[in-house]
């Protein structure tokens, strides 16, 4: 608790909820923004409002976009027959940052988890199976995090897609317990190129 006005305290509390920011870091960030209000705070507030109004989930793949269907899904150049399955949008962006995958994506929205009561119907797995048939997908690349839940999800998807297309997964380069968003571009590139059938 500080002696700041309620509006500023509220902003600090909201900032402290962001990943990687605690109360102290949030306080420092807010004070910096206030000092740079014309240069940074006002444009940031405008940008955040714009995103709050326009951001939505792509109805095809689950990527974040400002239109109904994202640019990756509408690009004819990306219609390669390859579909890369990721847990969340941060993983999709990590794959795109590496620049080696030229197909389309499918965002699951998480992983199967018995502890958290997350089943296939809670994720975008049924939509994935439908896309494989509807879009003539020849290969599904499972780019899931190398965690127990990620591996469980990968095996479940492989069973669901058996006989429908080739199912591969990222291979070397992704450590056990690693998450795609924290990997460098070279590691993602090596893992994608060395994928193997499940």
């Amino acid at each position: 608790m500080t002696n700041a006005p309620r509006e500023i305290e509220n902003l600090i509390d909201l900032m402290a909820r962001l990943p990687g920011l605690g109360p102290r870091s949030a306080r420092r960030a807010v004070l910096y923004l206030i000092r740079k209000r014309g240069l940074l705070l006002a444009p940031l507030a405008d940008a955040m409002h714009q995103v709050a109004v326009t951001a939505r989930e792509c109805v095809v793949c689950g990527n974040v976009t400002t239109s109904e269907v994202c640019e990756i899904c509408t690009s004819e150049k990306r219609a390669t027959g390859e579909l890369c399955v990721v847990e969340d949008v941060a993983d999709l962006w990590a794959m795109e940052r590496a620049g080696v995958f030229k197909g389309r994506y499918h965002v699951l929205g998480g992983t199967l988890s018995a502890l958290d009561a997350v089943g296939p119907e809670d994720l975008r797995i049924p939509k994935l199976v439908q896309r494989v048939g509807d879009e003539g997908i020849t290969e599904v690349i499972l780019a899931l995090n190398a965690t127990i839940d990620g591996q469980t999800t990968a095996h479940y998807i492989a069973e669901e897609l058996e006989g429908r297309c080739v199912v591969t997964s990222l291979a070397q380069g992704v450590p056990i317990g690693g998450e795609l968003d924290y990997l460098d571009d070279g590691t993602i590139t090596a893992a994608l190129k060395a994928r193997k059938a499940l």
Side-chain angles (χ1 to χ4, degrees), residues 86-108:
V86 294
E87 287 180 28
D88 59 36
V89 174
D91 296 334
L92 185 156
W93 290 358
M95 294 293 291
E96 279 297 284
R97 193 174 59 238
V100 291
F101 181 66
K102 303 301 179 195
R104 292 184 175 160
Y105 294 92
H106 188 83
V107 179
L108 293 177

Side-chain angles (χ1 to χ4, degrees), residues 3 20 23 26 29 42 60 65-66 68 70 73 107-108 127 130 140 144 155 160 163:
N3 292 328
V60 177
T65 183
T66 55
E68 192 170 330
C70 73
C73 288
V107 179
L108 293 177
K127 176 80 172 167
Q130 181 185 340
V140 169
L144 303 177
H155 288 293
E160 286 291 302

